[in-house]
Amino acid sequence: MAALQRILWPADSELHYPTQMDTERKQDVSAARSVAFDLLRAVLTKNTPLDDAIAVHDGLNKLPRRDRGFARSIVGVALRRLGQIDALIESFVEKPLPRQASAVRDILRLAVGELMFLDVAPHAAVDSAVTLVESRGHPKFKGLVNAVLRRTAKEGRERLADLPVELNYQSWMIESWQAAYGADTAHVIAESSLTAPTLDISVKADPEIWAEKLEASLLPTGSLRREFDGAVTGLPGFDEGAWWVQDAAAALPAKLLGDIRGKRIFDLCAAPGGKTLQLAAMGANVLAVDRSPKRLKRLERNLDRLDLRAGVAAADITGWTPPSQPDAILLDPPCTATGTIRRHPDILHAKGIGDLAKLTNLQFRLLARAAGMLGPGGRLVYCTCSMQSEEGESQVARALTELPLERDPVTADELGGLDRLLTADGDIRTGPHLYRELGGFDGFFIARFRKK
């Protein structure tokens, strides 16, 4: 085959559907890759959040620990790098894959991700993909899959150099970052958001001791950080309730409320509850409010595991009547979550520009409701796990104009000296591109207010 010749898909008439023999051959399929295929399909064809797909996949938990980590790595890379992966595949074929065989495309996506971004041995990635294609009812594509992947192994890295990371993002995300931060910084954010995440931990007490036990580093902000290998429940201190998983950036908002021992604190839009756990561990009288009873159940389980106490209320905050006036409020409203792409790569495919418009409207409504609950002098911390300025800086500018709030600037001392996280106005803007020498942070915007 000539070097520049493209590979042809089989004709639609040649598509093959499963037989009993195909079913029997499934025993030869790589179990980890088969699980990764199921997870990828759940996200891309059913719009299932990756965490939910993982939670309900019985086969994943039956895999050995190493294979579980491998399956998660494969699907994570495919979701993060889907734009570049698809561009590579398209460069090797002459016409699009027939609609009836979309499963073959997803198997190719996983295998190309292995070859280009996980440095898996070519023979292992190629042979496993060919076997998986046959087991899923498309043996007519075995030769084509073999040819595409072998050319990818040979030529892919050279072609990948010409495929920008921005291909992995929806245009509205990149355009928003370019407008807010400039083209160069937007590019670094895009690159950094595709890296594998660390495992960050918040502890109830004795962070230095637990840093040693967990083989973690202690960040200037007080969080512990170690390599993420997919295993959490087996780590020291989990069963005894000494700590919980929480990104270092997500741990900042609660700390900005200061000394809250004995004070009444509302944690609005609280689930899954990391900030509620913090507030309770800090000695506050916390009421966690969220509209999702299911997600609040998870919070209650964590409260029990950690032996912490907090009130819990399932309610829509836009119509909720508080039982009392709080001393302070922490508001973490629904957002596009583009700051958490490292941990939740499905966000690259789940959110659209229409979601951004709806969410920014909801965020301001919730911000106005929270401001109305406070008495004069009460503190309000507003945060979103988004890199979009529309959900951060723009909301604060509007709040200062339309709501009875004044900015309560954050200082570098409150951030362990990490002054690059501070904006010129005294708000906080974290991201995977900041303090990369420490491993970066999830992308958060955080602002602190006082009620006038």
Side-chain angles (χ1 to χ4, degrees):
M1 184 179 291
L4 296 180
Q5 183 178 352
R6 289 191 171 190
I7 301 166
L8 291 171
W9 298 113
D12 290 2
S13 60
E14 296 178 321
L15 292 179
H16 175 83
Y17 295 92
T19 65
Q20 180 62 34
M21 183 176 296
D22 295 325
T23 302
E24 293 172 354
R25 286 175 181 159
K26 287 184 179 179
Q27 62 185 354
D28 299 323
V29 174
S30 163
R33 291 178 172 91
S34 183
V35 168
F37 170 79
D38 292 339
L39 296 177
L40 185 67
R41 296 285 283 177
V43 172
L44 296 182
T45 66
K46 300 179 182 178
N47 296 319
T48 304
L50 180 58
D51 284 350
D52 291 353
I54 288 172
V56 301
H57 197 295
D58 293 336
L60 180 64
N61 291 328
K62 294 177 182 178
L63 295 175
R65 174 178 169 179
R66 181 177 178 181
D67 288 350
R68 287 200 304 270
F70 184 50
R72 293 174 68 122
S73 294
I74 297 171
V75 71
V77 161
L79 289 171
R80 290 187 186 96
R81 300 282 184 170
L82 194 65
Q84 290 172 302
I85 287 171
D86 280 353
L88 275 176
I89 294 172
E90 289 168 8
S91 74
F92 291 129
V93 298
E94 186 170 297
K95 63 180 182 178
L97 177 67
R99 178 178 55 83
Q100 299 95 321
S102 64
V104 178
R105 177 183 59 193
D106 287 336
I107 292 170
L108 275 171
R109 286 166 161 172
L110 292 166
V112 171
E114 289 183 54
L115 291 169
M116 294 294 96
F117 303 106
L118 294 179
D119 294 325
V120 173
H123 72 274
V126 175
D127 292 349
S128 295
V130 170
T131 304
L132 186 56
V133 164
E134 182 173 20
S135 76
R136 296 289 172 155
H138 298 289
K140 291 288 185 181
F141 287 91
K142 288 170 57 179
L144 178 138
V145 168
N146 179 73
V148 169
L149 293 180
R150 290 191 180 280
R151 287 194 64 187
T152 299
K154 183 178 179 181
E155 306 171 31
R157 294 197 182 281
E158 182 178 352
R159 296 193 182 202
L160 185 63
D162 295 325
L163 300 176
V165 295
E166 285 79 5
L167 286 177
N168 302 301
Y169 294 85
Q170 297 181 54
S171 59
W172 66 267
M173 295 182 187
I174 295 295
E175 290 167 2
S176 173
W177 296 351
Q178 291 173 341
Y181 314 113
D184 291 343
T185 299
H187 178 73
V188 177
I189 292 172
E191 284 186 324
S192 304
S193 295
L194 300 180
T195 59
T198 57
L199 178 66
D200 291 355
I201 291 171
S202 292
V203 296
K204 289 167 61 177
D206 304 317
E208 293 86 359
I209 293 174
W210 283 108
E212 183 177 353
K213 289 183 179 181
L214 292 167
E215 299 179 337
S217 60
L218 178 59
L219 296 178
T221 57
S223 294
L224 305 187
R225 173 165 287 179
R226 55 164 285 159
E227 183 179 350
F228 179 67
D229 59 7
V232 173
T233 57
L235 293 175
F238 181 87
D239 289 337
E240 62 194 84
W243 53 265
W244 63 96
V245 175
Q246 184 180 34
D247 184 80
L252 295 176
K255 297 175 181 178
L256 299 182
L257 292 175
D259 184 358
I260 53 175
R261 286 174 292 183
K263 293 186 177 181
R264 292 166 298 178
I265 309 296
F266 289 171
D267 184 8
L268 304 183
C269 307
K275 299 174 185 66
T276 299
L277 301 177
Q278 273 186 282
L279 296 168
M282 293 164 68
N285 179 8
V286 191
L287 178 58
V289 187
D290 196 276
R291 67 183 300 172
S292 170
K294 180 179 179 180
R295 283 161 57 88
L296 285 173
K297 288 293 184 184
R298 176 181 171 187
L299 168 56
E300 290 175 324
R301 288 194 297 270
N302 277 323
L303 286 167
D304 289 342
R305 179 176 67 84
L306 293 156
D307 193 25
L308 294 171
R309 299 291 176 265
V312 175
D316 183 340
I317 296 163
T318 59
W320 178 62
T321 301
S324 61
Q325 188 175 81
D327 296 302
I329 292 176
L330 195 161
L331 172 63
D332 184 2
C335 68
T336 58
T338 54
T340 67
I341 289 169
R342 294 190 305 172
R343 300 181 194 285
H344 305 291
D346 48 302
I347 288 168
L348 288 165
H349 316 286
K351 302 294 185 180
I353 185 62
D355 295 302
L356 178 62
K358 293 176 183 177
L359 287 166
T360 52
N361 180 58
L362 175 61
Q363 288 155 11
F364 191 79
R365 289 171 59 204
L366 293 172
L367 189 52
R369 283 285 296 156
M373 296 176 192
L374 285 170
R379 256 182 173 171
L380 168 61
V381 170
Y382 168 86
C383 62
T384 57
C385 55
S386 169
M387 291 301 301
Q388 314 309 125
S389 62
E390 297 92 335
E391 300 181 278
E393 292 85 347
S394 295
Q395 296 286 24
V396 170
R398 183 180 175 186
L400 292 173
T401 300
E402 300 182 25
L403 301 178
L405 296 172
E406 59 186 8
R407 181 183 272 117
D408 186 3
V410 180
T411 67
D413 289 343
E414 296 177 273
L415 302 175
L418 300 182
D419 57 351
R420 278 185 275 157
L421 302 182
L422 280 178
T423 71
D425 293 318
D427 301 324
I428 296 173
R429 168 59 76 185
T430 67
H433 62 301
L434 295 171
Y435 290 99
R436 296 175 78 176
E437 66 274 17
L438 298 177
F441 297 89
D442 277 0
F444 263 78
F445 176 83
I446 310 167
R448 185 170 61 190
F449 301 96
R450 288 274 189 188
K451 178 73 172 287
K452 291 181 181 177

